[in-house]
Amino acid sequence: MKHSLITVAVVAAVVGGGVVYSGTQTNSWFQQQTATKKVAHISGQASVAQTAYTSNDNATTAYNKVKNAVVTVQNLQNNSAQQSDGFAGLFGQTQQEGGQNSSKIETASEGSGVVYKITNGTAYIITNNHVVANSDALQVITAGGAKIKATVVGTDVEKDIALIKVQTTVIKSAASFGKIDGLQSGQQVLAIGSPLGSDYATSVTSGIISAPRRELSSQQTGFGTAQVIQTDAAINPGNSGGPLINLAGEVIGINSSKIASSNDGVSVEGMGFAIPADIVQNFIAKTEK
């Protein structure tokens, strides 16, 4: 039986227990923020998962080439009823009686990003627009656990791409983009990111390209039509903005969304989508002008 697909779900990484989905379309599953939020600390060192790899196969080699360029992107929002002014207000510092500061900035959601360029002490990172949307501040957590304040350079809502930057000497690795003209169905790929947030940072999943180019309708995206790479590599909440790479360790796409079920509720597995590298590079070229 043929099933029509639901609106494509935005995979905006929210850390929490149960993940609640709802949407404007029937059976859609746009992810909402969980009720419990984490207080954000805009400095210091985060605890991230460390995994040892000893294999020398192509997938491991490709992963090791890119993993240190992948970061967790934290969307920080001020949850206080009374907003503060200036720098303190941006990072949730409100003055209480007795002169004590109370931190009100909280981690609303977490996604992923990939460093594509480092120049003059500044690292430039590509992620999804929905990862950074509605933020009062942004913070990235490196593969080594360092927390760094980030700022938005530019966004494209319809293409769901965002360019952010951080000033740091901690980040040493940048990923490179690969050509996608020769992509073929069945080609092996890896998805790297932070599923469910920084506790699972630099997680890698493997799969194949299901379709080199797939067009999603405006009904599916919620905006205009979109050209995407379809893959069966597992993409979970938190993977948004992370790279889809080939076995040469080159970024061929930016993971952005997945489909979970059909209109009549039939469960769907292995239908993830990534923004093709050429579209991402065109966005970078326009934004950096």
Side-chain angles (χ1 to χ4, degrees):
M1 187 173 78
K2 187 178 296 182
H3 304 283
S4 58
L5 299 178
I6 64 163
T7 301
V8 174
V10 170
V11 187
V14 177
V15 176
V19 178
V20 180
Y21 299 99
S22 63
T24 56
Q25 303 294 330
T26 305
N27 295 317
S28 65
W29 57 284
F30 285 90
Q31 182 171 328
Q32 304 298 313
Q33 296 178 12
T34 53
T36 302
K37 297 183 178 181
K38 301 189 299 183
V39 174
H41 302 285
I42 317 297
S43 63
Q45 192 78 7
S47 296
V48 296
Q50 299 293 329
T51 307
Y53 290 87
T54 57
S55 173
N56 290 318
D57 64 18
N58 291 338
T60 299
T61 300
Y63 168 77
N64 287 335
K65 185 176 179 179
V66 178
K67 67 176 182 179
N68 289 325
V70 180
V71 300
T72 301
V73 180
Q74 294 186 315
N75 182 315
L76 309 178
Q77 297 180 13
N78 197 320
N79 197 37
S80 62
Q82 181 177 0
Q83 300 289 330
S84 299
D85 295 326
F87 187 84
L90 177 63
F91 289 103
Q93 304 266 317
T94 56
Q95 196 76 18
Q96 294 181 325
E97 291 185 26
Q100 293 182 340
N101 288 327
S102 176
S103 178
K104 296 297 184 180
I105 200 79
E106 295 177 330
T107 304
S109 62
E110 293 185 299
S112 303
V114 58
V115 178
Y116 71 90
K117 182 174 73 172
I118 303 172
T119 181
N120 298 325
T122 301
Y124 294 85
I125 300 165
I126 281 292
T127 184
N128 288 139
N129 176 72
H130 74 258
V131 171
V132 304
N134 302 316
S135 62
D136 294 310
L138 292 174
Q139 178 173 263
V140 302
I141 303 177
T142 69
K147 296 180 177 181
I148 311 167
K149 175 187 173 184
T151 57
V152 175
V153 178
T155 62
D156 188 319
V157 176
E158 290 194 1
K159 291 184 174 60
D160 196 20
I161 313 174
L163 171 56
I164 65 177
K165 65 179 181 180
V166 296
Q167 292 185 324
T168 181
T169 58
V170 173
I171 297 176
K172 306 291 186 182
S173 299
S176 59
F177 290 102
K179 295 181 180 179
I180 66 167
D181 293 342
L183 292 185
Q184 298 181 10
S185 297
Q187 181 178 337
Q188 288 183 285
V189 291
L190 305 174
I192 308 174
S194 303
L196 300 183
S198 55
D199 288 344
Y200 298 95
T202 62
S203 291
V204 59
T205 55
S206 65
I208 61 171
I209 293 175
S210 303
R213 292 281 182 171
R214 183 77 71 191
E215 183 173 292
L216 300 179
S217 68
S218 57
Q219 182 179 7
Q220 289 173 304
T221 65
F223 299 102
T225 58
Q227 296 289 329
V228 294
I229 299 170
Q230 182 182 340
T231 179
D232 71 342
I235 297 175
N236 293 294
N239 279 118
S240 287
L244 185 71
I245 68 171
N246 58 26
L247 293 191
E250 299 169 327
V251 178
I252 59 171
I254 298 298
N255 302 315
S256 61
S257 56
K258 66 186 291 185
I259 291 176
S261 66
S262 64
N263 273 340
D264 51 6
V266 174
S267 180
V268 175
E269 296 290 341
M271 292 192 69
F273 302 98
I275 305 164
D278 57 346
I279 294 176
V280 175
Q281 288 174 290
N282 288 337
F283 164 76
I284 291 172
K286 292 178 181 177
T287 305
E288 288 187 338
K289 284 183 177 180

